[in-house]
């Protein structure tokens, strides 16, 4: 078959995602398909959301390929008679952050109108697709809830082999998610006020929101947490990033209602336990509470208690990490399977 | 630097533009930059699709990118503050090819509208760029003639140039290129009707559409040229291609008004004399008739004469080939220059 892989190269150029996309192309080619990429830019932060979506919508690829697989949204706005959507997330500002404390902007009548049009269009386009898949149960649940669309879950086949150094433990938890409101870095800082042990927290994250970063630093000074919290550049070379990951107690990942299971995978791959929140969404799908990590209420005192617990019971934390990796290796989910399911 | 390269391509067709796109990405990465590719498919029929294609580009937004390099119409319409155009060619059917049999655009009100839109877009959006480079004097000349826009020539280097070798001249003239009407393989076959010596012709390339290949096969059969002309339409390996270059008597490259033509450079690195036509465009910037090859009218009899000449004096042909390489090396075409100027 001739297959078009359509995606957006947006501001969130997460490496794992780009690598994953190459893996899909590779798996398709190994199965004897011809693959062609269509890649368009997209800006989540621009006020001109509808204009950009129109740009995708105007692209009529009916003349090309037997199938179009739409990866990152809004690639599914591209026109094609045999469109398969693999949905991860679209515009969190208008969906999961909307009308929550995690929304960056303020809701104006104009914004409300844009959202109405967006949701309407989104529902139409997804509804018209040949098939819709979701990258997690949480993503599928949202499609059902917002648009009444039934999507089957196909998890990305993250690589499991290689890059798993032996865990030499440092004395810190790692927070690697971008410093955005939805990832609740302020909750992480606040939690450090309540820890009783000498446990530390290291942020190794991009800071796309300078205001939020300032707020964090102010809070750190206010509470006198300078010796407990450290910032590292997320642009460090891969080897160094691996070491930072390898030497932590565990990963602190406490977003609000996330659609990606990536955090659970990443922690497991490095044999680390995951500390997440009960409302964090998809990471919980791959977490066995008490076995491979902990899920607590999004409350600073509760998070602090768990941080302390893992600091004191290092062996237990280590075992959780080992079990997380063992569980993932048992999963044996690979790209060939992903491709087979998307084309079924 | 974070760099985006944008190309406009026909899905599932791989030609010189894609070679250049991939080569540029690889080189920029070698120079330590982060690079993403933007790929927008070509839409032509019916004519209003061209306008939609143009609008797609104009409505897109490109963020988090320090330098945007656009290669073709209409991707240079994507707005960006640090845009540089390295123009492979304009939408030629709307300009120099408009009144020729090579123009597929209907001369209807819709066709005229589309043409008007393309010209307007070029006039309006090309000058947005910080700098406009083209791949040859040919392209620069057309841009000046039709749009009165100035540009600088920046020749694309040939990848793996050091792997081209030369061996003793064989009996065949090699014509490697995608097979389509405008590359004029049909003229090459036609010429073989008039040769008086034992010179042979070897055409290698993938037909853009199967019918182009079939038509050539039919012409060879019709003129009874099967002992003199070989047509390889199947994919040939890199090693095979190098061998076909190395053992050729000379290289034939006679497209109509080619923008640049890697074949010219390949012939020079393989030290083979090049036969081209007065109206072939790009190759004329490299070949000196009588010294490094022959330039003739696009006439089968004149071409046949040039082919015979190479056959009759193989020593001179080899000498011409060596001269072609010398001349090319003196032009100093390389990635250092290209990267330096595109990122200046």
């Amino acid at each position: 078959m001739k297959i078009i892989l359509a995606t957006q190269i947006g501001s969130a150029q997460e490496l794992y995602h780009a690598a994953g996309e190459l893996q899909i192309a590779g798996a398709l080619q190994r199965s004897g398909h011809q693959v062609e990429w269509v890649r368009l830019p997209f800006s989540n932060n621009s006020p001109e959301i509808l204009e950009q979506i129109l740009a995708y919508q105007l692209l009529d690829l009916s003349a090309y390929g037997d199938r179009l697989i739409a990866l990152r949204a809004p690639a599914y706005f591209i026109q094609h008679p045999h469109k398969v959507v693999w949905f991860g997330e679209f515009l969190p500002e208008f969906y999961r952050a909307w009308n929550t404390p995690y929304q960056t902007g303020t809701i104006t009548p104009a914004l409300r109108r844009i959202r109405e049009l967006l949701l309407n269009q989104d529902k139409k386009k997804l509804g018209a697709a040949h098939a819709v898949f979701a990258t997690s149960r949480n993503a599928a649940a949202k499609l059902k809830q917002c648009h009444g669309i039934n999507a089957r879950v196909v998890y990305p086949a993250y690589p499991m082999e290689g890059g798993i150094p032996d865990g030499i433990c440092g004395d810190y938890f790692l927070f690697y998610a971008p410093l955005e409101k939805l990832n609740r870095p302020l909750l992480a800082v606040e939690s450090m006020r309540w820890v009783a042990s000498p446990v530390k927290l290291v942020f190794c994250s991009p800071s796309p929101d300078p205001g939020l970063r300032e707020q964090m630093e102010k809070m750190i000074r206010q509470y006198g947490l300078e010796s407990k919290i450290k910032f590292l550049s997320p642009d460090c070379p891969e080897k160094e990033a691996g070491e930072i990951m390898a030497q932590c107690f565990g990963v602190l990942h406490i977003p609000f209602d996330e659609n990606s299971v990536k955090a659970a995978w990443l922690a497991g791959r490095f044999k680390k336990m995951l500390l997440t929140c009960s409302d964090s969404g998809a990471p919980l799908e791959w977490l066995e509470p008490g076995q491979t990590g902990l899920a607590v209420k999004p409350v600073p005192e509760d998070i602090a208690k768990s941080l302390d617990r893992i600091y004191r019971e290092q062996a237990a934390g280590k075992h959780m990490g080992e079990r997380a990796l063992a569980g993932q290796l048992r999963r044996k989910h690979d790209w060939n399977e992903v491709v087979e399911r998307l084309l079924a | 630097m974070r760099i985006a390269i944008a190309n406009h391509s026909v899905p599932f067709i791989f030609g010189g533009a894609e070679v250049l796109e991939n080569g540029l990405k690889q080189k920029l990465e070698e120079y330590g930059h982060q690079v993403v590719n933007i790929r927008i498919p070509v839409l032509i029929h019916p004519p209003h699709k061209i306008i939609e294609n143009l609008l797609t580009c104009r409505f897109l937004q490109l963020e988090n990118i320090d330098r945007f390099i656009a290669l073709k119409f209409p991707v240079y319409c994507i707005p960006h503050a640090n845009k540089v155009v390295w123009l492979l060619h304009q939408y030629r059917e709307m300009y120099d090819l408009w009144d020729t049999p090579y123009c597929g655009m209907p001369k209807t009100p819709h066709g005229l509208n589309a043409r008007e839109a393309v010209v307007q877009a070029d006039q309006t959006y090309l000058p947005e760029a910080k700098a406009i480079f083209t791949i040859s004097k040919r392209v620069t000349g057309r841009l000046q003639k039709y749009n009165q826009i100035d540009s600088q020539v920046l020749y694309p280097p040939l990848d793996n140039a050091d792997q081209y070798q030369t061996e003793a001249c064989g009996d065949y003239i090699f014509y490697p290129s995608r097979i389509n009407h405008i590359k004029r393989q049909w003229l090459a076959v036609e010429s073989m009707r008039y040769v008086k010596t034992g010179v042979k012709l070897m055409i290698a390339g993938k037909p853009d559409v199967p019918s182009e290949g079939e038509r050539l096969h039919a012409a060879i059969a019709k003129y009874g040229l099967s002992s003199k002309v070989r047509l390889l339409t199947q994919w040939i390996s890199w090693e095979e291609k190098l061998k076909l270059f190395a053992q050729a008597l000379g290289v034939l490259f006679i497209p109509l008004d080619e923008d640049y033509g890697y074949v010219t450079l390949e012939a020079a690195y393989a030290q083979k004399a090049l036969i081209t036509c007065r109206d072939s465009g790009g190759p004329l910037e490299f070949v000196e008739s009588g010294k490094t090859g022959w330039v003739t009218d696009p006439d089968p009899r004149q071409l046949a004469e040039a082919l015979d000449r190479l056959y009759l004096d193989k020593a001179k042909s080899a000498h011409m080939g060596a001269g072609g390489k010398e001349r090319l090396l003196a032009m100093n075409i390389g990635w250092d220059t290209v990267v330096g100027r595109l990122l200046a």
Side-chain angles (χ1 to χ4, degrees):
Chain A
M1 255 198 275
K2 285 186 171 175
I3 296 171
I4 293 181
L5 288 174
T7 195
Q8 64 122 323
I9 51 123
S11 41
Q13 286 162 22
E14 298 163 75
L15 275 180
Y16 86 94
H17 205 114
E21 292 186 344
L22 293 181
Q23 299 277 356
I24 297 178
L28 285 168
Q29 281 159 343
R30 280 193 302 279
S31 318
H33 300 292
Q34 255 180 289
V35 177
E36 178 76 32
W37 280 104
V38 170
R39 286 199 194 90
L40 275 65
F42 190 81
S43 160
N44 275 355
N45 306 313
S46 160
E48 282 152 10
I49 291 296
L50 297 174
E51 288 83 344
Q52 293 184 78
I53 285 169
L54 178 61
Y56 280 71
Q57 212 165 328
L58 282 170
L59 206 54
D60 176 3
L61 302 188
S62 306
Y64 299 122
D66 306 306
R67 203 62 70 91
L68 180 143
I69 301 179
L71 300 171
R72 308 183 79 179
Y76 52 77
F77 276 80
I78 295 172
Q79 299 176 51
H80 199 275
H82 296 286
K83 185 160 56 186
V84 174
V85 181
W86 193 19
F87 181 85
E89 168 152 57
F90 189 33
L91 290 169
E93 272 294 294
F94 289 98
Y95 283 97
R96 65 182 165 116
W98 184 262
N99 214 3
T100 70
Y102 313 113
Q103 185 162 22
T104 307
T106 21
I107 299 180
T108 60
L111 200 64
R112 210 180 281 282
R113 180 76 189 128
I114 289 177
R115 182 171 185 261
E116 238 172 70
L117 291 166
L118 168 72
L119 265 65
N120 191 2
Q121 284 297 315
D122 222 8
K123 183 176 181 168
K124 264 194 209 156
K125 287 292 158 215
L126 287 165
H130 185 72
V132 180
F133 297 90
T135 56
S136 68
R137 290 208 301 270
N138 205 41
K142 282 182 192 155
L143 286 174
K144 180 77 189 166
Q145 186 200 332
C146 286
H147 303 311
I149 286 166
N150 293 314
R152 273 164 290 168
V153 177
V154 175
Y155 287 115
Y158 295 115
M160 292 302 163
E161 300 78 30
I164 312 163
D166 271 330
I168 325 141
C169 272
D171 57 356
Y172 59 89
F173 267 81
L174 180 68
F175 189 110
Y176 75 87
L179 303 181
E180 293 166 351
K181 279 188 177 176
L182 274 165
N183 289 328
R184 299 193 288 210
L186 288 174
L187 177 61
V189 172
E190 181 91 33
S191 304
M192 290 304 287
R193 263 180 88 187
W194 302 95
V195 295
S197 69
V199 67
K200 293 188 174 62
L201 179 61
V202 169
F203 286 96
C204 187
S205 321
S207 321
D209 180 348
L212 185 60
R213 172 74 187 257
E214 262 169 48
Q215 239 179 307
M216 289 171 71
E217 279 169 15
K218 200 175 140 201
M219 195 185 255
I220 291 167
R221 281 194 303 274
Q222 196 183 335
Y223 297 145
L225 296 173
E226 290 91 340
S227 62
K228 287 178 180 275
I229 295 178
K230 196 174 159 190
F231 288 93
L232 291 177
S233 159
D235 297 326
C236 53
E238 204 175 311
K239 186 171 166 254
E240 228 170 277
E243 273 167 29
I244 294 165
M245 192 74 194
Q247 293 180 13
C248 67
F249 279 138
V251 172
L252 181 65
H253 188 66
I254 49 176
F256 172 67
D257 196 18
E258 189 170 70
N259 277 3
S260 167
V261 292
K262 183 195 163 195
W265 159 73
L266 194 65
R269 192 182 184 199
F270 284 89
K271 281 195 257 183
K272 299 298 172 185
M273 62 84 63
L274 177 70
L275 178 50
T276 189
C277 287
S278 47
D279 62 351
S280 285
L284 298 164
E285 294 171 32
W286 280 14
L287 184 83
E288 287 175 69
Q291 295 297 307
T292 65
L294 299 170
V296 299
K297 279 192 201 135
V299 176
E301 291 86 336
D302 288 17
I303 295 170
K305 247 184 244 166
S306 295
L307 293 170
D308 281 339
R309 182 181 146 194
I310 297 300
Y311 183 87
R312 291 205 194 93
E313 301 166 25
Q314 294 193 9
K318 211 177 151 204
H319 280 138
M320 286 182 189
E322 282 161 2
R323 275 194 293 264
L325 176 64
Q328 285 181 189
L329 290 175
R330 273 198 305 275
R331 209 168 257 131
K332 280 205 168 88
H333 178 53
D334 65 20
W335 285 107
N336 293 333
E337 193 191 323
V338 168
V339 159
E340 220 170 274
R341 294 196 54 200
L342 293 180
L343 292 181
Chain B
M1 235 189 241
R2 282 162 309 188
I3 302 168
I5 305 171
N7 192 11
H8 189 235
S9 53
V10 180
F12 306 106
I13 290 198
F14 192 88
E18 286 66 45
V19 171
L20 182 135
E21 177 198 344
N22 293 348
L24 179 60
K25 175 171 195 275
Q26 194 192 329
K27 289 297 163 186
L28 288 170
E29 282 170 349
E30 280 173 29
Y31 281 76
H33 302 288
Q34 275 177 280
V35 187
V36 288
N37 289 94
I38 295 170
R39 308 196 90 208
I40 298 180
V42 175
L43 298 175
I44 298 173
H45 303 294
H48 72 260
K49 291 286 168 204
I50 294 170
I51 300 175
E52 292 179 4
N53 215 200
L54 174 59
L55 287 174
T56 286
C57 292
R58 200 56 195 167
F59 283 145
L60 288 172
Q61 296 199 11
L62 188 53
E63 66 173 17
N64 209 16
I65 290 292
D66 306 313
R67 180 63 49 103
F68 171 44
I69 302 171
L71 302 177
K72 279 186 189 175
F73 172 88
V75 293
Y76 46 69
C77 300
I78 299 173
H80 194 267
N82 276 312
K83 175 160 63 182
V84 169
V85 176
W86 191 18
L87 190 63
L88 306 191
H89 54 74
Q90 289 180 269
Y91 195 154
R92 292 182 54 194
E93 290 181 44
M94 303 304 199
Y95 291 102
D96 56 303
L97 299 180
W98 177 256
D99 274 326
T100 71
Y102 304 102
C103 179
M105 194 50 53
K107 308 293 190 288
T108 58
H110 290 301
L112 289 165
N113 270 346
R115 185 192 196 200
E116 175 71 20
V118 170
V119 175
Q120 279 299 324
D122 281 355
Q123 294 297 144
T124 314
Y125 301 130
L126 273 171
E128 283 181 353
K130 281 173 59 140
I132 302 173
F133 299 99
T134 73
I135 58 163
S136 68
K137 287 184 195 158
R138 236 13 243 166
V139 180
T140 284
R142 287 192 213 121
L143 198 55
Q144 180 53 242
K145 179 175 171 191
Y146 294 103
N147 307 85
Q148 296 77 51
I149 292 173
D150 289 331
S151 59
Q152 306 165 50
V153 177
L154 187 56
Y155 288 125
L158 179 70
D159 278 334
N160 301 312
D162 53 341
Q163 293 188 29
Y164 288 82
Q165 302 290 334
T166 193
E167 292 173 28
C169 288
D171 287 337
Y172 66 90
I173 308 286
F174 188 34
Y175 190 171
S177 196
R178 274 187 302 125
I179 292 173
N180 69 30
H181 197 54
I182 203 164
K183 303 283 183 195
R184 298 197 296 206
Q185 281 92 353
W186 55 269
L187 177 59
V189 170
E190 188 94 348
S191 311
M192 289 304 288
R193 293 170 66 190
Y194 304 101
V195 296
K196 299 187 177 78
T197 64
V199 69
K200 293 189 169 59
L201 173 66
M202 173 91 73
I203 296 175
K206 193 170 175 242
D208 280 357
V209 284
S211 61
E212 306 262 15
E214 285 153 23
R215 209 173 308 157
L216 279 186
H217 275 298
I220 293 166
K222 184 176 150 197
Y223 300 134
L225 293 171
S226 52
S227 63
K228 290 185 172 177
V229 181
R230 257 194 90 190
L231 177 58
L232 299 172
T233 53
Q234 72 274 34
W235 184 83
I236 56 170
S237 70
W238 169 248
E239 288 74 24
E240 277 174 283
K241 184 170 104 164
L242 287 183
K243 201 170 155 204
L244 285 170
F245 265 110
Q247 298 178 351
L249 170 58
V251 171
L252 183 67
F253 189 47
I254 51 172
L256 174 70
D257 208 2
E258 177 74 39
D259 311 302
Y260 182 56
Y262 282 116
V263 176
T264 316
L265 281 77
E266 291 182 289
Y269 281 112
Q271 302 184 43
K272 298 297 170 184
L274 185 84
I275 299 175
T276 189
C277 290
R278 238 172 276 292
D279 60 354
S280 285
L284 301 169
E285 294 171 39
F286 296 86
V287 182
E288 258 185 294
S289 192
K291 285 190 179 156
T292 68
W294 297 104
V295 179
T296 77
D297 285 340
D299 168 71
R301 287 184 178 80
Q302 283 195 35
L303 279 165
E305 235 173 82
L307 295 169
D308 281 337
R309 237 178 276 154
L310 286 193
Y311 186 86
L312 289 172
D313 193 345
K314 287 190 176 174
K316 187 176 177 196
S317 303
H319 186 70
M320 280 181 153
K325 183 170 181 183
E326 226 168 84
R327 188 177 146 88
L328 179 68
L329 291 179
M331 290 171 84
N332 226 348
I333 299 168
W335 284 109
D336 282 341
T337 317
V338 170
V339 171
R341 293 183 72 190
L342 289 178
L343 302 187

